[in-house]
Amino acid sequence: MKIAVLAGDGIGSEITAQALRVLDVLVRDGLHAEIEHGLVGGAAVDAAGDPLPEATERLCAGADAILFGAVGGPQYDGLPRAQRPEQGLLRLRKRFDLFANLRPALVYDELAHASPLKHELVLGLDLLIVRELTSDIYFGQPRGIRINEAGEREGFDTMRYTEGEIRRIAHSAFQAARKRSARVTSIDKSNVLETTQLWKDVVTEVGREYPDVTLVHMLVDNAAMQLVRNPRQFDVILAGNMFGDILSDEASMLTGSIGLLPSASLNAEGFGMYEPIHGSAPDIAGQDLANPLATILSLAMMLRYSLDQEAAAIRVEQAVRLVLARGFRTGDIAQAGESTVGCRAMGDAVVAALGD
Ligand code: IPM
Ligand code: MG
């Protein structure tokens, strides 16, 4: 198994380093995996003038899976869009057709108090956002900023989905729901937007093939509200690229911290990229303050979905549970008065827990 590691920017190198220490333990115990590092994002712009250099693309094409850190930083905000770090990520998603983005949000009992919501609302929460990742207004053409007839600047983007694109992500969601509590909530804005009317129609059609799964349609604004009013009503949330981006950040806070949420982005062949859903956090980069758990949990998802190593995935997830139960807290998940550990010490704790 060959794993391409793209640490990226900001805290990317710190968090991926801890995930790789976890991988080292598994390799020592017999897992066959080799890693190779590649440049992406701002780091790649600095080194090669391109957020996704040819060499990185080749490395990923030859790998069995990609472990991704984070990209972006204020020093790149002024660059033309094609050179922005985020383009490295978006192009990887498109290049490998990683349309199915799985973002589980799980509340650990020990951390229910870290949620900004009342703990009785989030205790036991376990939901999965299935987000379409290669289409929608993120990629729709035309787009741009132009001068209109009135001589005024005008910005425009195109929300667009084909039937086939909706169909395949809907299948991903229904299949995931079958392994869980068999409920899918499909997100749309069909009261206003044509694209999402088609989304709703196609999801309904696909849903007929899954009579054992309950399908509910919900408008995105209502969903944003329901997520904080009664989040446990959700099992699988199926959303397009844009709505899924927004709702997954919201859902992450239910768990106490965005620093805890892993993700998998898969194509039809099961090839996948694995990354924490949080960003590069330039404000704390290089200070050993970042929470590496989302990246370590992303490694667990890689073991499960791309490397077919369910037992190893469970072992990593249990080690994370154990360190939380033992009281290890990075700053983002600490309560007032609790002592905290840094990124590396959190990695130490997970490595130690793997042996228990
Ligand atoms: C995410 C991020 C990305 C997105 C950015 C960095 C382009 O917010 O993975 O959720 O919008 O998809
Ligand atoms: Mg996002």
mmCIF file of all heavy atoms in Angstrom, residues 86 89-90 93 103 131 138 245, ligand 1:
data_model
loop_
_atom_site.group_PDB
_atom_site.id
_atom_site.type_symbol
_atom_site.label_atom_id
_atom_site.label_comp_id
_atom_site.label_asym_id
_atom_site.label_seq_id
_atom_site.Cartn_x
_atom_site.Cartn_y
_atom_site.Cartn_z
ATOM 1 N N GLU A 86 -6.241 26.833 -1.940
ATOM 2 C CA GLU A 86 -7.469 26.035 -1.981
ATOM 3 C C GLU A 86 -7.658 25.346 -3.330
ATOM 4 O O GLU A 86 -8.304 24.299 -3.417
ATOM 5 C CB GLU A 86 -8.688 26.924 -1.707
ATOM 6 C CG GLU A 86 -8.785 27.456 -0.283
ATOM 7 C CD GLU A 86 -7.829 28.624 -0.001
ATOM 8 O OE1 GLU A 86 -7.229 29.172 -0.947
ATOM 9 O OE2 GLU A 86 -7.687 28.978 1.198
ATOM 10 N N LEU A 89 -6.522 21.779 -3.448
ATOM 11 C CA LEU A 89 -7.496 20.835 -2.889
ATOM 12 C C LEU A 89 -8.645 20.586 -3.865
ATOM 13 O O LEU A 89 -9.027 19.437 -4.143
ATOM 14 C CB LEU A 89 -8.020 21.423 -1.574
ATOM 15 C CG LEU A 89 -9.085 20.662 -0.812
ATOM 16 C CD1 LEU A 89 -8.591 19.263 -0.472
ATOM 17 C CD2 LEU A 89 -9.440 21.411 0.474
ATOM 18 N N LEU A 90 -9.193 21.667 -4.421
ATOM 19 C CA LEU A 90 -10.334 21.522 -5.328
ATOM 20 C C LEU A 90 -9.938 20.743 -6.584
ATOM 21 O O LEU A 90 -10.696 19.910 -7.080
ATOM 22 C CB LEU A 90 -10.886 22.907 -5.698
ATOM 23 C CG LEU A 90 -11.468 23.698 -4.517
ATOM 24 C CD1 LEU A 90 -11.841 25.111 -4.941
ATOM 25 C CD2 LEU A 90 -12.688 22.992 -3.930
ATOM 26 N N ARG A 93 -9.705 17.021 -5.800
ATOM 27 C CA ARG A 93 -11.050 16.432 -5.724
ATOM 28 C C ARG A 93 -11.591 16.149 -7.124
ATOM 29 O O ARG A 93 -12.175 15.091 -7.371
ATOM 30 C CB ARG A 93 -11.989 17.384 -4.969
ATOM 31 C CG ARG A 93 -11.676 17.501 -3.483
ATOM 32 C CD ARG A 93 -12.509 18.610 -2.822
ATOM 33 N NE ARG A 93 -12.257 18.665 -1.383
ATOM 34 C CZ ARG A 93 -12.738 19.606 -0.574
ATOM 35 N NH1 ARG A 93 -13.489 20.589 -1.074
ATOM 36 N NH2 ARG A 93 -12.485 19.582 0.702
ATOM 37 N N ARG A 103 -18.449 12.873 6.168
ATOM 38 C CA ARG A 103 -18.017 13.655 7.329
ATOM 39 C C ARG A 103 -18.808 13.243 8.561
ATOM 40 O O ARG A 103 -19.874 13.791 8.837
ATOM 41 C CB ARG A 103 -18.194 15.158 7.046
ATOM 42 C CG ARG A 103 -17.366 15.621 5.863
ATOM 43 C CD ARG A 103 -17.345 17.119 5.676
ATOM 44 N NE ARG A 103 -16.189 17.487 4.857
ATOM 45 C CZ ARG A 103 -15.784 18.715 4.613
ATOM 46 N NH1 ARG A 103 -16.436 19.735 5.110
ATOM 47 N NH2 ARG A 103 -14.718 18.939 3.874
ATOM 48 N N ARG A 131 -21.573 14.582 1.646
ATOM 49 C CA ARG A 131 -21.532 15.825 0.860
ATOM 50 C C ARG A 131 -20.999 15.536 -0.540
ATOM 51 O O ARG A 131 -19.943 14.927 -0.686
ATOM 52 C CB ARG A 131 -20.612 16.824 1.585
ATOM 53 C CG ARG A 131 -20.278 18.075 0.795
ATOM 54 C CD ARG A 131 -19.177 18.888 1.488
ATOM 55 N NE ARG A 131 -18.788 20.032 0.671
ATOM 56 C CZ ARG A 131 -17.664 20.727 0.826
ATOM 57 N NH1 ARG A 131 -16.811 20.408 1.795
ATOM 58 N NH2 ARG A 131 -17.389 21.741 0.039
ATOM 59 N N TYR A 138 -19.500 25.256 -6.790
ATOM 60 C CA TYR A 138 -18.043 25.257 -6.665
ATOM 61 C C TYR A 138 -17.369 25.149 -8.028
ATOM 62 O O TYR A 138 -16.274 25.663 -8.220
ATOM 63 C CB TYR A 138 -17.579 24.061 -5.818
ATOM 64 C CG TYR A 138 -17.469 24.337 -4.340
ATOM 65 C CD1 TYR A 138 -18.548 24.824 -3.619
ATOM 66 C CD2 TYR A 138 -16.282 24.079 -3.667
ATOM 67 C CE1 TYR A 138 -18.445 25.049 -2.253
ATOM 68 C CE2 TYR A 138 -16.168 24.298 -2.308
ATOM 69 C CZ TYR A 138 -17.251 24.788 -1.604
ATOM 70 O OH TYR A 138 -17.136 25.003 -0.263
ATOM 71 N N ASP A 245 -20.815 21.973 2.719
ATOM 72 C CA ASP A 245 -19.679 22.705 3.287
ATOM 73 C C ASP A 245 -20.125 23.461 4.530
ATOM 74 O O ASP A 245 -19.502 23.381 5.592
ATOM 75 C CB ASP A 245 -19.123 23.686 2.237
ATOM 76 C CG ASP A 245 -17.971 24.506 2.777
ATOM 77 O OD1 ASP A 245 -17.077 23.910 3.397
ATOM 78 O OD2 ASP A 245 -17.972 25.731 2.588
HETATM 79 C C1 IPM B 1 -13.799 22.096 3.250
HETATM 80 C C2 IPM B 1 -13.129 23.444 3.028
HETATM 81 C C3 IPM B 1 -12.901 23.615 1.534
HETATM 82 C C4 IPM B 1 -14.246 23.624 0.863
HETATM 83 C C5 IPM B 1 -12.087 24.866 1.165
HETATM 84 C C6 IPM B 1 -10.745 24.897 1.874
HETATM 85 C C7 IPM B 1 -11.901 25.002 -0.321
HETATM 86 O O1 IPM B 1 -13.892 24.453 3.573
HETATM 87 O O2 IPM B 1 -13.212 21.067 2.882
HETATM 88 O O3 IPM B 1 -14.883 22.078 3.832
HETATM 89 O O4 IPM B 1 -14.906 24.667 0.766
HETATM 90 O O5 IPM B 1 -14.670 22.548 0.395
#
